[in-house]
Amino acid sequence: MEYHLTTPLPPEELKKIKIGDVVYITGTVVTARDEAHLKALELHKEGKQPPVDFKGIGLFHCGPVMKKNEQGEWTVVAAGPTTSARMEIFQDEFIKTFQPGIIIGKGGMGARTTKACQEETCIYGYFTGGAALLAADRIKKVKDVFWYEELGMPESLWLFDVENFGPLTITIDTHGGNMTEKRIKKIEENKDKILQNL
Amino acid sequence: MMDIAQVVEDTAAKLLEISATKLPSEVKEALIQDEKDTEGSLGKSQLKAINENVILAETFTKPMCQDTGLVSFFVKIGDKFPIKSEVKTALIKATEKATEKVPLRPNAVDMFEGNTKNNVGLRGYVPWFYFDLVEGDKCEIIAMPKGGGSSNVGKMKMVPPGKGIKGVKEFVVEAVAAAGPLACPPYTVGVGVGGGEDMCMNLAKKALLRPLYQYHEDENIASIEKELKDILNKLEIGAMGLGEGTSVFDVHMEFAARHPASLPVGVVISCWALRHAGATIDREGNVEWHPH
Ligand code: SF4
């Protein structure tokens, strides 16, 4: 199935989506990698608010290449997904705390994220790894950037307006399904077979 | 008088641009062929996205991937090439220049001072250089940026020497299986065997520079390369780790002598974006670009 959704993503729509489905997002997407996750969670612990309300929007594991144009405005040069597995250690806490609607990344995520997605009605979509220009093409506007001076270009929170951002292959749904984990299991089985026959 | 250091700098900056924006032709062809051959729609759509993206990068001279990598250069300096240590300075300048111009993503992070914002480390190690001294009056430069995601799945093991070549193969299979969907497959796998714990990794990385489907000139090694390639595809990782399409385009191996007590094996894995570009400069400053 193919879905075209607009942020904030309605939970009842998210619940319809199953692993293997393809989703396109229009609306707000914010980039966040390791450092930004940590910083947002730290702020929350101190009782402060991060500068972006993540609720219902797309959280994009991405460290883009950005450039200022002649008018001094930021433009996107390249913006593909980064390996999501690095975020596994705090993604569940992040989902519970900030309730994004969809996590966008590559390489899939693990059991903790899957559980949080199920509990908080969030999905995980796979953007083709490295396809940075396709992604950039769907970003219509750079709305804002936060923590640039402190964290540097790849780790900042870049707030984007996107249109038909995708295709995002859903590998974690709201029902506890995780396509990547299944694939990893299969790869492990294949590996055992290969090693036996070497 | 030609400013040879300037030629080195400009050439290297151009090589960084080429490598970031244009795949070596045989890698490009392999990806196109894989899109044709892949039957499942999940895998096919991933390859289609990759191929569209590669064309966009080439057409607009923009980085094909936002991770423009940590920069390294493989350099061969001829005895009679007019400059030696200045080559290093020129390559550092080229890195700063390309970061600004292409642009490349600033990827050099200092543990204590944070991102240097120009891809040059604060402590003299980044970009990383592999220097070789050769006969003649030329200087060959190959730029190889490598992404963090694919570097994170690299592995090294001191295999017990008693396990011999079987132990080597086992470790390669384990390393690629562990990489699984993490590092943007289809992969190309470089394997270095022997030397020491450091050298096997260097060799593995260097092996990635050999064009796809060009096997080692030693037939013994070539047959292991082919065998491993077939075996690794049975892991069924597939494009982007979704299980459909080629898992591994090729395996390239380099062997060095080893200490009798050790059998170091290094595995360096490249994502689909196997990026490198080279040129040779002569003593007059004429530049010959390597086929790309
Ligand atoms: S693994 Fe390669 S293609 Fe994927 S994001 Fe990293 S550099 Fe880009």
Side-chain angles (χ1 to χ4, degrees), chain A residues 20-22 33 61-67 76-86 106-108 126-138 148-154 167 169 171 179-180 183-184 186-188 190-192 194-196 198, chain B residues 42 45-50 52-54 56-58 62-68 100-107 115 117 148-150 152 166 169-171 173-174 176-178 180-184 227-228 231-232 234-237 240-244 272:
Chain A
D21 286 345
V22 170
R33 297 172 33 126
H61 295 155
C62 165
V65 183
M66 307 290 294
K67 197 177 185 168
V76 188
V77 179
T82 191
T83 310
S84 298
R86 292 199 315 277
K106 74 165 171 97
Y126 220 99
F127 194 94
T128 305
L133 298 176
L134 275 191
D137 192 51
R138 307 284 154 89
Y148 177 72
E149 284 311 317
E150 187 187 340
L151 302 181
M153 188 186 290
T169 304
T171 67
M179 202 154 115
T180 316
R183 177 50 42 186
I184 289 173
K186 178 82 181 141
I187 293 170
E188 284 296 308
N190 290 339
K191 179 187 83 178
D192 292 343
I194 292 169
L195 291 180
Q196 273 163 21
L198 258 188
Chain B
L42 282 177
S45 75
Q46 298 298 323
L47 290 155
K48 182 164 174 271
I50 291 173
E52 280 175 22
N53 187 71
V54 167
L56 282 175
E58 206 173 318
K62 283 187 176 181
M64 63 187 84
C65 175
Q66 78 290 339
D67 186 352
T68 51
E100 177 79 27
K101 187 179 162 272
V102 179
L104 306 176
R105 194 176 73 185
N107 277 338
N115 197 318
K117 300 194 171 157
S150 77
N152 286 349
K166 188 169 175 231
K169 290 179 195 165
E170 275 173 9
F171 180 57
V173 172
E174 279 162 11
V176 177
L182 290 177
C184 297
E227 181 192 345
L228 275 174
I231 289 175
L232 291 174
K234 293 194 182 128
L235 287 170
E236 297 175 5
I237 297 171
M240 287 299 141
L242 295 173
E244 298 169 352
W272 64 260

Side-chain angles (χ1 to χ4, degrees), chain A residues 1 9-10 22 28 36 38-39 69 73 75 77 93-94 103 106 121 131 136-137 159 162 164 174 182 193:
Chain A
M1 284 287 286
L9 304 175
V22 170
T28 309
L38 281 173
K39 195 171 154 77
N69 64 12
E73 296 157 346
T75 58
V77 179
E93 198 188 333
F94 192 97
I103 317 271
K106 74 165 171 97
T121 314
D137 192 51
L159 200 61
V162 301
N164 272 322
T174 59
K182 279 191 201 158
K193 257 187 254 160

Side-chain angles (χ1 to χ4, degrees), chain A residues 136-154:
Chain A
D137 192 51
R138 307 284 154 89
I139 297 170
K140 296 303 164 196
K141 199 176 157 211
V142 182
K143 291 213 283 198
D144 219 333
V145 57
F146 301 98
W147 305 342
Y148 177 72
E149 284 311 317
E150 187 187 340
L151 302 181
M153 188 186 290

Side-chain angles (χ1 to χ4, degrees), chain A residues 16-46:
Chain A
K16 290 184 196 156
I17 296 167
K18 304 253 159 57
I19 52 173
D21 286 345
V22 170
V23 169
Y24 292 82
I25 301 289
T26 297
T28 309
V29 162
V30 63
T31 66
R33 297 172 33 126
D34 315 53
E35 308 259 346
H37 278 76
L38 281 173
K39 195 171 154 77
L41 287 168
E42 258 165 39
L43 282 178
H44 181 77
K45 274 191 201 120
E46 291 164 10

